[in-house]
Amino acid sequence: MGATEVGAKVTEKAANFKNAFHSREGFNGATQTWSNEVLDPTPPEKRTCKSYWRWWNYVTFYMGLSFGNWTLGSTMVGIGLNWWQSILVIFASQLISSIAFSSTPARSVFGMWGSYYFVGARAALAIIWYGVQLYSGANFMSNILRCIFGHDLTDIPNHIPESFWLFHFPFCAFRPYQLKAFFWFKSIIVLPSIWGLFIFCMVNTKGNVGSVYTTRINGNHGWFIMYAINSGMGNTATLITNQPDIARWSKTKTGSQWSQLITNPLAATLSASLWILATAAINNTWGLDLWNPWDLGAILGRYWSATTRFAVFLSAFTLLVSILGTNIAANMIPFGSDSSMLFPRYINIPRGQFIVEFLAFVICPWKLFTTVVAIMVCDYYLLTKGNVFIGHLYNGSKENKHCYYHRGWNIQAIIAYICGIVPPFLGFVGTLGASASSGAMDIGRLGWLLSFFVSFVVYYIICLVWPTHNQRIVKEMGLK
């Protein structure tokens, strides 16, 4: 690559960074509260090969997102399942999540003003999880620095690992469709790294997986399995409501559906299986009880050679990239999209990403979004037959006959939402230490699935008796 091409690349990247702080022409002076470059349909001039994602882009996206999940296996073993029960539960939970992924339509069903609550709640959750991921990434950074500097690092107090959050800054300036290459890179380096770490654990322990953990289920097995499935779904539940923000870049109608429906369950299950076996071998042989992926430092405690330090460095670096990619996909992009919807005159995706970068540094209600997904799916597939009137999504006036509902709120959806979160609520409170009956605890363990079913059925029945104005119009127009 010549000097001219390098200069052009640098200029292009600098322009991307600068444009992160600018909206389209006339953006700040827009009179429409509901419209900006993020919320509007992609114009024809931007529908190019560079902006669109093909099905294989979604495969690499979900492969990188799901394959590096060490703690999903530890969650299952930690609550009392053995290895094969954990694997089956993980597959079931991720399959259910993937079906919800591929079925989630837009959030307009709650009304022009009603949707603000749900979008705001999801944005707040993104801040919390962003901070959690920063902590995980900082621990990988600590391993990397230990491999480089050895005891010169461990023998002195330092806060360098906390600077992991700075790695996110360059990515804040980009929009989702500009990150295809990064997600491709992440999937390429994460897969061989995880397989390499698995092989190392098996070889150095001679495959001493032992009993691979025994079942510690107390009480009714059926309730416990449902509780485990519900716990597993927490791994991806926060992403479900933001699927339209990712799927909108698909080149075809089904490009984002089948790719993730197949990739996510298989990748998550295989990844968790490798981690369960590798960790069991290490714990059984070395007499430890390790489950966090950044416990790679235990290897350095037994093999302090240059070769081992380099291998641990590579593993920690790839897992650091994995955490970085997960934070971008699951927290930065969703917050950028949600905040642009909350404040469309002032925030676009890059601006929102810079905001969450700082908010997360300063600082598990994902089950509340189950009811949101249920209502969206019911309305889209059963009640309005997949008919969305795009032009009316940008009109918050009373003249909007499709999305205004009751003063901008879909009352039927709000009722169904409340009905969905009530049944497992006492069980949820019981998990926090409050007094709760065994029946309430059992119902609480159904969590995600129970809330989804209740909200789905309640909303459907209410709308059969008391349909929304939009549903009546769809029926009168004979749309299918």
Side-chain angles (χ1 to χ4, degrees):
M1 181 180 293
T4 303
E5 294 178 343
V6 172
K9 284 287 184 180
V10 172
T11 302
E12 180 184 357
K13 301 302 180 183
N16 286 335
F17 188 85
K18 180 180 178 180
N19 289 336
F21 299 94
H22 295 277
S23 309
R24 64 181 180 184
E25 185 177 357
F27 179 58
N28 286 329
T31 57
Q32 294 186 354
T33 307
W34 314 95
S35 175
N36 68 20
E37 60 182 341
V38 177
L39 303 176
D40 294 351
T42 306
E45 63 271 15
K46 290 188 177 181
R47 298 173 189 173
T48 63
C49 293
K50 290 185 177 180
S51 63
Y52 272 126
W53 287 22
R54 304 302 293 265
W55 66 267
W56 54 81
N57 296 123
Y58 286 100
V59 168
T60 57
F61 176 80
Y62 287 106
M63 179 69 73
L65 199 63
S66 305
F67 204 81
N69 201 323
W70 184 320
T71 53
L72 184 57
S74 66
T75 299
M76 297 299 113
V77 173
I79 63 177
L81 302 181
N82 62 24
W83 69 274
W84 64 265
Q85 291 171 336
S86 298
I87 293 173
L88 291 178
V89 164
I90 288 170
F91 180 79
S93 64
Q94 298 309 296
L95 179 62
I96 295 172
S97 293
S98 292
I99 293 173
F101 269 127
S102 61
S103 306
T104 304
R107 297 179 288 259
S108 57
V109 62
F110 291 96
M112 299 302 292
W113 292 107
S115 59
Y116 268 59
Y117 163 74
F118 302 99
V119 174
R122 174 62 183 93
L125 184 59
I127 298 173
I128 297 173
W129 274 117
Y130 196 105
V132 172
Q133 295 293 337
L134 286 180
Y135 174 80
S136 300
N139 281 282
F140 286 123
M141 176 62 72
S142 180
N143 278 325
I144 291 174
L145 295 176
R146 185 183 176 192
C147 292
I148 297 173
F149 299 106
H151 297 295
D152 291 335
L153 172 78
T154 57
D155 292 342
I156 61 173
N158 82 94
H159 300 281
I160 297 177
E162 299 174 3
S163 63
F164 167 64
W165 77 290
L166 292 173
F167 289 7
H168 296 72
F169 265 100
F171 297 94
C172 291
F174 295 95
R175 289 163 173 78
Y177 68 87
Q178 297 172 314
L179 294 171
K180 289 188 294 184
F182 171 75
F183 291 122
W184 181 269
F185 170 74
K186 174 187 172 182
S187 65
I188 289 177
I189 65 171
V190 168
L191 266 66
S193 173
I194 292 176
W195 276 105
L197 188 57
F198 170 76
I199 293 172
F200 172 87
C201 293
M202 291 293 103
V203 171
N204 281 269
T205 61
K206 298 181 180 179
N208 182 25
V209 296
S211 60
V212 200
Y213 304 104
T214 56
T215 301
R216 303 188 309 278
I217 299 178
N218 298 318
N220 188 288
H221 281 57
W223 285 109
F224 200 90
I225 293 298
M226 294 304 300
Y227 169 58
I229 292 176
N230 184 58
S231 298
M233 294 185 67
N235 180 61
T236 49
T238 55
L239 270 174
I240 295 175
T241 53
N242 281 91
Q243 274 308 287
D245 301 321
I246 302 297
R248 67 172 296 180
W249 302 109
S250 177
K251 178 68 173 178
T252 62
K253 292 182 179 180
T254 59
S256 64
Q257 292 181 313
W258 295 107
S259 53
Q260 70 82 25
L261 186 60
I262 297 173
T263 304
N264 180 59
L266 294 179
T269 304
L270 177 59
S271 174
S273 301
L274 295 179
W275 291 132
I276 289 173
L277 295 174
T279 310
I282 291 292
N283 288 342
N284 288 334
T285 304
W286 295 353
L288 302 175
D289 190 19
L290 307 178
W291 270 112
N292 291 314
W294 51 82
D295 289 329
L296 288 167
I299 298 176
L300 297 176
R302 291 178 176 263
Y303 301 96
W304 190 256
S305 65
T307 304
T308 304
R309 288 166 63 180
F310 180 67
V312 172
F313 169 85
L314 292 178
S315 295
F317 172 76
T318 55
L319 292 173
L320 182 76
V321 174
S322 177
I323 291 291
L324 176 62
T326 299
N327 232 2
I328 293 172
N331 298 313
M332 274 177 52
I333 293 176
F335 184 89
S337 301
D338 293 339
S339 58
S340 70
M341 184 269 184
L342 296 173
F343 306 100
R345 289 187 179 180
Y346 309 102
I347 299 178
N348 54 21
I349 286 183
R351 289 177 179 178
Q353 292 173 162
F354 278 107
I355 292 173
V356 73
E357 171 79 350
F358 287 98
L359 291 178
F361 187 73
V362 175
I363 61 153
C364 280
W366 52 83
K367 295 181 181 66
L368 297 179
F369 292 96
T370 305
T371 56
V372 177
V373 176
I375 294 167
M376 291 161 61
V377 171
C378 180
D379 188 87
Y380 183 81
Y381 288 99
L382 297 186
L383 298 173
T384 58
K385 312 297 183 182
N387 293 286
V388 178
F389 301 88
I390 302 296
H392 293 269
L393 299 178
Y394 306 92
N395 180 6
S397 68
K398 296 180 180 180
E399 286 71 30
N400 187 347
K401 57 184 180 181
H402 291 286
C403 301
Y404 191 71
Y405 298 104
H406 303 277
R407 299 182 182 275
W409 293 75
N410 184 343
I411 303 299
Q412 294 91 323
I414 301 300
I415 294 173
Y417 170 77
I418 296 174
C419 290
I421 63 176
V422 166
F425 184 74
L426 287 179
F428 169 73
V429 173
T431 62
L432 302 178
S435 176
S437 65
S438 58
M441 294 298 292
D442 287 338
I443 293 176
R445 287 170 176 168
L446 292 176
W448 204 98
L449 297 173
L450 177 62
S451 293
F452 185 95
F453 178 79
V454 170
S455 291
F456 189 98
V457 173
V458 169
Y459 185 69
Y460 184 73
I461 292 176
I462 290 177
C463 290
L464 286 181
V465 179
W466 179 29
T468 66
H469 187 60
N470 181 52
Q471 292 164 4
R472 289 196 296 267
I473 294 176
V474 170
K475 186 175 180 180
E476 291 170 0
M477 297 175 65
L479 299 176
K480 297 181 179 179

